[in-house]
Amino acid sequence: MKKFILLCFFTTYIFAKPIISVSILPLEYFVQKIAGTSVEIHTLLPDNADEHTFEPKPQSLLTLEKSKIYFTIGLEFERPMLNKFQSLFKQTKIINLNDNIPLIEKKHSHAHEGHELHSKDPHTWLDPILVKSQAKTIAKALIEQFPQNKKMYEENLTLFEKELDSINETIKTKLQDIKHNNFIVYHPSWSYFAKRYNLTQIPVEVDGKEPKPKALMNLIQIAKEKNIKVIFVQAGFAQNASALLAKELNANVVQINHLSKDWQNELLKSVNALENSLK
Ligand SMILES: [Zn+2]
């Protein structure tokens, strides 16, 4: 019996897949597209958590330490870990998927109070064309780490790039006949998407918090002028201001998820909602 248990232990140990860590679920989707089943993917941010205020659990950090690669997107919650990693855990390769992307500067109302630290907008993963460049970075890193799988990773990358091109075409087609360009979203995660498809995202949130009454009044004014009839909200974020806004504007509140593991379907669902509300 003892021998058997020992054997089981060794078998599990020898055949366990290498671990790859990622910050958010969309990155899990991207890595899975390239890596297939060759690795075990560990995602730091759980479902329905605010990606800007989250603190990872100790168990999750232990798994992170065992990872061969950590694909980060440079969110606030990752910064303390990145600092720690660079000095302590040299065996984990850290790859920032936003490194090769020209990032948009975020607007801050308190820039003079030292908030300029987080002044780059990190939400690149909702633009399929930027995802193509992230997919290339993922494939390159995986090939370096596991050269024996090079052929499979290259084939998967080609397939995924084709899928992303087709998603881009679908979005362009769906949005070609819209008459309005402005939409309201609680958490401003659609900057790169909006830029790609000539839309304007109007955020409810101010510097990561619910707006103060004055800011909310301004927003109502703008939304009335632009005749905005839809407000996107995200699970895990505050809902009070959005609810009030919806009531004032007689607008629909649509729940979207910018952090879904089901990246493609969720993105197209949001695009359908935009198509319907911007007609
Ligand atoms: Zn965000």
Side-chain angles (χ1 to χ4, degrees), residues 172-190:
K172 281 202 284 192
T173 309
K174 279 180 183 289
L175 299 179
Q176 68 187 358
D177 292 326
I178 52 168
K179 297 200 172 53
H180 305 277
N181 292 73
N182 299 278
F183 64 102
I184 291 185
V185 55
Y186 180 77
H187 178 65
S189 52
W190 294 79

Side-chain angles (χ1 to χ4, degrees), residues 50-52 75-76 122-123 125 187-189 205 237 258-259:
D50 177 337
E51 80 267 26
H52 299 277
L75 287 163
E76 290 91 333
H123 306 96
W125 62 89
H187 178 65
S189 52
E205 205 183 65
F237 290 83
H258 64 293
L259 290 166

Side-chain angles (χ1 to χ4, degrees), residues 70-83:
Y70 170 26
F71 289 110
T72 162
I73 200 101
L75 287 163
E76 290 91 333
F77 83 85
E78 305 183 77
R79 287 198 188 114
M81 290 182 282
L82 289 173
N83 292 339

Side-chain angles (χ1 to χ4, degrees), residues 35 57 104 155 259 279:
K57 302 266 176 303
I104 297 172
E155 284 168 3
L259 290 166
K279 267 180 193 160

